[in-house]
Amino acid sequence: MGRRVATRRRAGRGRAAMNDLPGSGSAAALAASAAGAPRPLSGVGVPNPGVADVTGTRRLLRRMRDVMAAAGTAQERLDRIVRLVAAEMVAEVCSAYVMRAGEVLELFATEGLRREAVHRTRLRVGEGLVGVIAATARPLALADAQAHPDFAYRPETGEEVYHSLMGVPILRGGHVLGVLVVQNRTPRRYTEDEIEVAQTIAMIVAELIASGELVNPLEMAQSSSGALLPVRLTGVRLNEGLAVGPAVLHVPQLVIRQVVAEDIDAELARLSQAVTAMQRAVDELVAASRGLGAGEHRDIIEAYRMFAEDRGWLNRITDAVRSGLTAEAAVQKIRQETRTRMLQIGDPYLRERLSDLEDLANRLQQFLSGGAVVPQSGPLPNEFILVAPSMGPAELLDYAHRRVRGLVLEEGSPTSHVAIVARAFDIPVVGRVEDAASRIESGDTIVVDGDRAQVLIRPSEDIQQNFAEAIAERSRRRAYYDTLRDQPAVSRDGVSVRLLLNAGLLIDLVQLAATGADGIGLFRTEIPLLTRDAFPGVADQTAFYRRAFEQVGDRQIVFRTLDIGGDKVLPYLSHTAEDNPAMGWRAIRIGLDRPAMLRQQLRALLRAAAGRELWVKFPMIAEVAELDQARALLERERRRTLEEGYDPPRAVKVGVMLEVPSLLWQLPALLERIDFLSIGTNDLAQFLFACDRGNPRLAERYDLLSAPMVALLREVIARCAAANVPLSMCGEMAGDPVDAMMLVALGFRTLSMTAAALGGVKAMIRSLDVAAAARYAAAIGDRPDHSLRARLAAYARDHAVAL
């Protein structure tokens, strides 16, 4: 019923705090960081002791318990609560506003304002100080409220005589259900302790609102006239694939029957027993995860166990119990405080870890209540789509023995822990789908299109049939591609093409055996760093790269040095917003400006490659001078490796990613200095066409299969052939069968792509006559058409080329 927390005003946070986090980030550090986020307090005045001590808080909570247990309607209990709070906090006014349909806050109860204003005064979210508290989901304390620019005067309330105001959001399950406000006539400086007391009271009021006695819980649903119409939602692709099935909502929310403890010692004992049971269950999950093989998912589950054992997080819950709350209420209080603070932190690493902490809080509450870990009443369908606001990796593992066909999240990123675990299970995932859990009903038929990052809710029968046929065709193709796994990528006229994989995580390397790829043509070394809380040292990097070498065996693996910046910002590296980050301070520019970082990475690669060939390439080189600087750092580290007694690589091969068009005019000098060249069409295309690839209006405007790109590729192929420098294609162009057909016809003999694309490209090559395709490409290559794609697709149909 309430408004999901969507902060409009976010507090800044110093980067220095990130450096204090140990290891991969403990729960204590994260919770402390969240708890330490600054509150928007202001004003001067005389503080009033009120209930701001443990004894006073416990007295108030006991009286609150009596109010909640007393006879009467929910409205009568709410009326008694505001009177009690006003008296105990020595405030002339206490008011409770409740969220109604249409994001409107209605005054439901007051002590001090005019009675006739109740159920009459309404404020929209963001309107007035009460609306600001609801919009930001943060407390607000002001000694002179009327001087605040957001103050909104309501004459029917008679509040013009009150100067001080302190308000807290009424939160439950990440939703704002209302706002609790106290006011004083004289300027008053409300203390941090008083704000905490108000937040605890707001938790009790939240349970009263959630009971459905104050506002009909169907009110919000009934106000949505189009609730049963088909809906299309878009998000971000976290894992590719297609799935259709009934929705199962994973929104774990236990009802807290009692907030105030009757026996604190008994509650502490219950908490201790539940923590022990939770930790035992997590140990079992860790053991079960070992069946998934090696990879980052294993490290993530191990790190999750460390969260479950972290004393700092557990101590905060224990302290909340000692203040007078039940164990369930204490867990909820710390969970809500942590969530509210962390949602306002801009740091992507910390925000991603919120899902892990929420997962643990849910799990602990379930053990306290004796409920099942999987929050689903009744039997689950045999196959289903899981829908959740967010999810931790262990929560997904709870469903591992069932048939999860797809996953839809309101949050998440490609490097979030749950996305990595989903990849291990080959589950399509679409993340950042706004309001998915509130717009999808349990049992709704939904389509998860991970390839296009979209979710279709209640699609029509014909659309369901189309997707079912697409899934069936995908399965047939996969089965056919599996038969080609051990077959060479050789054309009908005997032209051999090396097919490599693009990778970024150790789990991706498992696909080498599954696809029969010849090696890794692009290992994005920055991807693993996006999941960490600090830049790893040389020893950690060396161990990681050594594991990569071990997993590929005798196959080739080409490491690209860090391509950070732009849309891949390391959470622990200070950065400033740029107007055009794709063309800003990123990749080799950061490496050369921060040589210590690049040198440490090169040092680790050299050590890990002991006795093997090391293939390394530098991204975003715009001029040969940058390559010279990078090679100088590599040579410096190579000498250091020898001087320190480490076994050196058998050979070091140096390459460049051709992504910046300026390098085209320095090709002769460039080719003299490198051992191989790779083309990255993703960046090259946006620079060539002056087209921001992140702009949806331009997404389909230019085609890679057009005269400018074809002419560019022809020139590069000819220059590399003359200089005898191996050339490969690593961009998305290599993974599309029509594009790849043109690339092979032009002269490419090495293509690197995603694992999902390799089977289709291999099938295309094995059905292609390269010489005939080359003649056709030469005939149409200079045409000034917007795109050559339709002509190439028609050629493939006419010549039985498998697409």
Side-chain angles (χ1 to χ4, degrees):
M1 182 184 72
R3 172 186 176 84
R4 178 160 292 280
V5 176
T7 23
R8 300 180 184 177
R9 301 178 181 184
R10 291 178 177 155
R13 178 177 180 270
R15 287 280 168 185
M18 175 59 78
N19 298 327
D20 298 331
L21 297 180
S24 61
S26 68
L30 295 177
S33 170
R39 294 188 176 96
L41 306 178
S42 65
V44 294
V46 180
N48 194 306
V51 294
D53 58 61
V54 173
T55 302
T57 301
R58 288 182 180 176
R59 182 183 68 246
L60 174 58
L61 290 178
R62 282 195 299 270
R63 296 187 65 182
M64 290 285 291
R65 180 188 63 197
D66 295 340
V67 169
M68 294 293 286
T73 66
Q75 179 67 60
E76 290 169 343
R77 291 199 295 274
L78 185 59
D79 289 338
R80 289 197 290 270
I81 286 173
V82 295
R83 288 198 297 271
L84 175 61
V85 173
E88 292 288 335
M89 298 196 74
V90 195
E92 282 89 4
V93 174
C94 177
S95 304
Y97 293 79
V98 176
M99 188 77 74
R100 303 301 298 267
E103 295 197 328
V104 171
L105 292 153
E106 179 179 317
L107 178 62
F108 256 63
T110 186
E111 172 67 17
L113 298 183
R114 293 173 183 162
R115 297 293 303 170
E116 57 267 28
V118 173
H119 299 303
R120 177 183 168 194
T121 296
R122 292 189 168 199
L123 295 162
R124 291 199 174 277
V125 171
E127 180 185 7
L129 297 176
V130 172
V132 167
I133 294 168
T136 60
R138 301 186 68 193
L140 186 65
L142 300 166
D144 188 1
Q146 296 182 27
H148 194 282
D150 286 316
F151 178 79
Y153 174 56
R154 287 290 184 269
E156 71 273 12
T157 64
E159 64 180 337
E160 65 272 12
V161 298
Y162 303 105
H163 289 85
S164 304
L165 178 145
M166 184 260 285
V168 297
I170 300 171
L171 299 168
R172 190 175 190 273
H175 291 77
V176 177
L177 302 187
V179 175
L180 185 68
V181 176
V182 296
Q183 293 172 271
N184 286 83
R185 289 177 181 270
T186 59
R188 173 174 173 179
R189 177 170 55 83
Y190 300 96
T191 67
E192 296 275 345
D193 289 338
E194 288 173 324
I195 293 171
E196 282 209 12
V197 170
Q199 289 174 315
T200 302
I201 295 167
M203 282 182 56
I204 300 173
V205 177
E207 296 305 315
L208 181 62
I209 297 173
S211 70
E213 297 179 61
L214 283 173
V215 177
N216 188 335
L218 297 178
E219 177 182 312
M220 296 293 287
Q222 291 170 346
S223 68
S224 301
S225 58
L228 297 179
L229 296 176
V231 178
R232 175 180 175 272
L233 305 178
T234 59
V236 173
R237 180 177 68 186
L238 305 189
N239 196 33
E240 59 194 7
L242 296 174
V244 179
V248 168
L249 296 185
H250 176 89
V251 188
Q253 185 65 61
L254 297 176
V255 176
I256 299 175
R257 304 297 180 187
Q258 185 174 341
V259 175
V260 183
E262 296 181 356
D263 185 336
I264 291 177
D265 290 337
E267 292 300 317
L268 290 172
R270 290 181 62 237
L271 177 62
S272 177
Q273 292 169 1
V275 167
T276 300
M278 178 193 70
Q279 291 173 343
R280 189 182 304 119
V282 171
D283 288 342
E284 293 171 0
L285 279 176
V286 171
S289 72
R290 296 191 176 112
L292 295 175
E296 285 80 0
H297 55 283
R298 284 280 305 279
D299 298 335
I300 286 166
I301 300 302
E302 292 285 354
Y304 180 85
R305 174 161 57 183
M306 293 174 62
F307 273 89
E309 297 173 351
D310 188 87
R311 295 309 310 170
W313 177 67
L314 296 172
N315 286 341
R316 296 184 68 222
I317 298 173
T318 302
D319 290 343
V321 172
R322 290 197 175 106
S323 75
L325 298 177
T326 61
E328 291 91 342
V331 174
Q332 181 69 2
K333 180 177 186 289
I334 300 307
R335 170 190 177 180
Q336 198 67 68
E337 287 178 358
T338 302
R339 179 176 182 82
T340 302
R341 301 290 184 265
M342 290 181 71
L343 283 175
Q344 297 167 39
I345 294 173
D347 192 305
Y349 177 82
L350 286 179
R351 294 193 63 176
E352 287 293 350
R353 300 297 75 76
L354 173 60
S355 296
D356 296 354
L357 289 173
E358 292 249 297
D359 183 347
L360 282 171
N362 291 334
R363 199 170 294 271
L364 183 52
Q365 284 184 322
Q366 286 155 353
F367 276 105
L368 282 167
S369 68
V373 171
V374 176
Q376 172 72 19
S377 59
L380 289 170
N382 291 330
E383 297 181 338
F384 56 90
I385 308 295
L386 205 53
V387 180
S390 63
M391 180 173 278
E395 288 177 299
L396 182 59
L397 288 175
D398 287 333
Y399 292 92
H401 63 289
R402 296 171 170 85
R403 186 71 174 92
V404 181
R405 299 294 300 273
L407 179 60
V408 179
L409 299 171
E410 293 181 357
E411 301 175 10
S413 71
T415 56
S416 63
H417 288 173
V418 70
I420 293 172
V421 172
R423 203 172 305 162
F425 282 104
D426 195 25
I427 297 173
V429 187
V430 179
R432 300 185 202 172
V433 181
E434 187 174 354
D435 297 329
S438 60
R439 300 182 70 175
I440 298 173
E441 297 292 334
S442 188
D444 279 347
T445 297
I446 60 175
V447 173
V448 178
D449 186 350
D451 299 340
R452 296 175 179 81
Q454 64 179 352
V455 177
L456 306 181
I457 309 172
R458 297 177 293 275
S460 61
E461 289 292 336
D462 57 334
I463 292 178
Q464 289 186 50
Q465 183 61 34
N466 288 340
F467 273 95
E469 291 173 359
I471 292 171
E473 176 60 22
R474 194 185 189 103
S475 297
R476 286 192 293 270
R477 284 178 178 249
R478 276 193 172 188
Y480 172 60
Y481 297 156
D482 286 344
T483 67
L484 302 179
R485 180 181 58 194
D486 299 322
Q487 300 298 317
V490 177
S491 70
R492 286 165 48 197
D493 55 341
V495 176
S496 178
V497 181
R498 295 180 70 230
L499 300 183
L500 309 174
L501 294 183
N502 297 337
L505 296 167
L506 294 179
I507 192 174
D508 297 333
L509 304 183
V510 178
Q511 297 297 330
L512 278 173
T515 60
D518 297 313
I520 303 297
L522 170 63
F523 192 91
R524 301 180 175 96
T525 59
E526 69 277 358
I527 301 299
L529 271 63
L530 295 172
T531 66
R532 300 177 65 104
D533 69 326
F535 191 78
V538 175
D540 284 345
Q541 290 188 66
T542 302
F544 179 84
Y545 298 140
R546 189 173 289 130
R547 288 169 66 187
F549 274 119
E550 290 168 354
Q551 284 192 233
V552 301
D554 295 332
R555 293 182 175 95
Q556 179 190 35
I557 178 169
V558 181
F559 295 95
R560 182 182 69 187
T561 60
L562 296 177
D563 186 1
I564 55 178
D567 60 349
K568 291 176 286 189
V569 177
L570 298 183
Y572 39 84
L573 181 65
S574 60
H575 62 280
T576 56
E578 296 179 296
D579 291 337
N580 195 341
M583 301 178 70
W585 194 55
R586 55 172 286 209
I588 196 64
R589 297 166 184 175
I590 294 179
L592 296 178
D593 290 351
R594 298 287 185 269
M597 186 180 295
L598 179 56
R599 287 183 59 191
Q600 287 182 24
Q601 182 183 29
L602 295 173
R603 192 181 312 155
L605 285 167
L606 288 163
R607 291 181 183 179
R612 303 171 181 261
E613 276 193 346
L614 172 61
W615 293 71
V616 60
K617 56 186 173 185
F618 299 105
M620 279 289 289
I621 296 290
E623 58 179 1
V624 169
E626 289 179 334
L627 172 63
D628 289 341
Q629 293 178 62
R631 289 205 64 146
L633 293 177
L634 176 61
E635 177 58 23
R636 191 170 170 182
E637 290 303 324
R638 190 190 66 80
R639 290 197 304 268
R640 176 173 179 160
T641 299
L642 295 173
E643 292 167 359
E644 293 180 350
Y646 290 96
D647 291 336
R650 184 171 70 247
V652 178
K653 304 293 185 181
V654 178
V656 159
M657 290 287 292
L658 177 55
E659 300 165 293
V660 184
S662 61
L663 206 54
L664 294 169
W665 283 268
Q666 285 193 295
L667 276 178
L670 175 72
L671 296 175
E672 291 176 357
R673 291 166 165 80
I674 59 176
D675 300 299
F676 66 99
L677 182 67
S678 296
I679 294 181
T681 51
N682 302 349
D683 272 322
L684 182 60
Q686 74 170 339
F687 299 147
L688 180 67
F689 293 111
C691 173
D692 180 2
R693 66 183 185 185
N695 187 332
R697 293 184 176 181
L698 302 178
E700 306 296 332
R701 189 175 187 90
Y702 301 103
D703 197 322
L704 294 175
L705 290 178
S706 58
M709 182 63 77
V710 170
L712 184 155
L713 295 177
R714 267 209 194 108
E715 177 68 16
V716 175
I717 291 168
R719 296 274 190 164
C720 287
N724 199 28
V725 173
L727 173 66
S728 66
M729 171 66 72
C730 295
E732 291 182 7
M733 195 175 184
D736 182 279
V738 176
D739 291 2
M741 180 177 70
M742 185 62 164
L743 294 175
V744 172
L746 290 174
F748 278 91
R749 296 298 178 259
T750 301
L751 304 175
S752 190
M753 65 205 71
T754 64
L758 192 138
V761 173
K762 180 182 283 189
M764 179 276 297
I765 291 171
R766 289 178 59 84
S767 62
L768 180 68
D769 183 319
V770 175
R775 290 192 293 271
Y776 183 71
I780 67 170
D782 293 329
R783 294 184 62 88
D785 299 5
H786 170 68
S787 173
L788 304 176
R789 187 171 303 277
R791 294 178 181 274
L792 289 166
Y795 175 88
R797 287 194 299 272
D798 294 343
H799 294 79
V801 179
L803 296 181

